Amino acid sequence: MKPLKSVNSSYPQIHPDRIPQHVAVIMDGNGRWAKKLGHLRIFGHKQGVTAVRTCLEVASELGVKFLTMYAFSTENWNRPAIEVSALMQLLVDTVEKELPELMKNNVRLRTLGNMEQLPKNARTKLEHTETATANNTGTTLILALSYSSRWDIIQAVQAIAENVQKGLISPSEISETTISNSLRTSEYPEPDLLIRTSGEHRISNFLLWEIAYSELYFTPVLWPDFTKQHFVEAILDYQSRERRFGKTSEQIGEEKK
Ligand code: IPE
Ligand code: IPE
Ligand code: MG
């Protein structure tokens, strides 16, 4: 993995001072990609793993600290059983195979979602990889699996309600911080940039609370076709934007001085 100072030489157009801290990706289009080539949908998922690897590599090189990848949603459990089990098998195989590479690249793996719904062997492999990479200090790869934002919000509301019931907090004390801290994403900064591939312009139940002020980037590229250059294009687009957080452009200009 190249150190951050090489960003300028490897990616001369990218401004090293404006690298997003957290990039979230809705990896979409595997099925359509496979169908276009006359293959089964699972072939697209397999090819999609290569794009995850590529994305992680460039994110690490650029010094992106957190990369959240939406790999399987709560709603994806409703897909045909054969696709779901093939996806789970692919997950198990990949997590096992990638561990040496994650170690070599100093990547820390975390999961986000309702892990209890995953098959036991997938959970065990994921836990093992999470533990093995826990002390790595490079990019944190957060795999959103069996995840939906509404699921997370429900569990957060339940935890807060319990604390109200116990008298630990009063309803009027519930703030943005209370809610943010009760989500499973509480230890990560909110995404600066959200990328969705495959030409769909929707969020599909991903990080609804957390993306309140994220920059959104949609590309027609199908996920298995997503390359380093596409990731760089997304970062460049992000760097061209002015994040105002409700303020005026003039105020932002003043703050920069
Ligand atoms: C994204 O690709 C991967 C998952 C949701 C698991 P899709 O499988 O949704 O591919 P399309 O959208 O049908 O092309
Ligand atoms: C979103 O993709 C979920 C993941 C990428 C894991 P979907 O393909 O499931 O989303 P919809 O159904 O098109 O909204
Ligand atoms: Mg899809």
Side-chain angles (χ1 to χ4, degrees):
M1 201 66 44
K2 297 177 191 99
L4 186 55
K5 61 178 181 310
S6 75
V7 163
N8 262 330
S9 48
S10 302
Y11 305 100
Q13 303 144 288
I14 290 186
H15 200 303
D17 295 336
R18 290 199 59 202
I19 304 288
Q21 221 194 342
H22 185 172
V23 177
V25 185
I26 303 176
M27 311 182 274
D28 198 15
N30 294 350
R32 278 165 282 169
W33 183 88
K35 212 171 153 188
K36 247 182 23 182
L37 296 173
H39 290 290
L40 295 173
R41 293 176 57 82
I42 188 66
F43 184 70
H45 297 315
K46 283 188 182 145
Q47 198 56 38
V49 176
T50 307
V52 177
R53 221 178 276 125
T54 307
C55 225
L56 177 60
E57 208 176 294
V58 58
S60 298
E61 284 172 359
L62 291 173
V64 172
K65 288 301 290 176
F66 300 92
L67 181 67
T68 301
M69 312 291 281
Y70 203 6
F72 193 85
S73 72
T74 304
E75 290 76 19
N76 289 151
W77 287 113
N78 299 322
R79 290 194 178 188
I82 188 160
E83 180 170 347
V84 171
S85 66
L87 270 166
M88 291 301 144
Q89 194 51 48
L90 182 62
L91 174 70
V92 171
D93 296 346
T94 307
V95 166
E96 193 152 57
K97 214 170 77 201
E98 294 298 317
L99 180 56
E101 200 62 18
L102 296 175
M103 293 308 290
K104 198 178 102 199
N105 295 332
N106 196 19
V107 172
R108 180 171 71 133
L109 179 81
R110 303 304 308 273
T111 54
L112 171 66
N114 188 354
M115 293 300 120
E116 282 162 31
Q117 284 189 301
L118 291 183
K120 183 87 178 67
N121 63 339
R123 230 160 54 210
T124 311
K125 298 254 154 69
L126 283 164
E127 278 164 14
H128 175 246
T129 306
E130 276 191 86
T131 311
T133 61
N135 294 324
N136 288 348
T137 55
T139 300
T140 297
L141 171 66
I142 304 156
L143 266 191
L145 279 171
S146 189
Y147 170 84
S148 77
S149 190
R150 287 182 178 180
W151 162 81
D152 198 12
I153 291 170
I154 290 167
Q155 69 78 31
V157 170
Q158 286 170 344
I160 296 166
E162 271 175 33
N163 285 338
V164 169
Q165 200 174 37
K166 286 180 194 153
L168 297 171
I169 181 175
S170 71
S172 62
E173 280 171 332
I174 297 170
S175 64
E176 277 197 22
T177 312
T178 319
I179 295 173
S180 293
N181 287 349
S182 307
L183 293 169
R184 301 280 172 104
T185 51
S186 63
E187 62 185 289
Y188 314 121
E190 289 175 358
D192 301 293
L193 170 65
L194 170 72
I195 299 171
R196 181 170 189 148
T197 60
S198 91
E200 306 297 355
H201 296 86
R202 55 176 171 264
I203 303 299
S204 304
N205 215 349
F206 192 44
L207 302 172
L208 300 176
W209 172 273
E210 297 86 342
I211 60 167
Y213 270 104
S214 304
E215 294 299 327
L216 309 182
Y217 181 85
F218 298 100
T219 167
V221 175
L222 300 174
W223 179 249
D225 286 331
F226 197 80
T227 61
K228 250 183 192 194
Q229 193 47 43
H230 293 121
F231 192 85
V232 168
E233 276 165 24
I235 303 282
L236 286 172
D237 195 90
Y238 166 83
Q239 294 195 328
S240 74
R241 301 189 193 184
E242 181 180 62
R243 302 185 75 189
R244 290 194 286 278
F245 300 96
K247 295 183 180 174
T248 67
S249 189
E250 289 72 22
Q251 284 175 299
I252 301 298
E254 275 302 309
E255 283 171 9
K256 275 197 197 138
K257 280 183 192 161

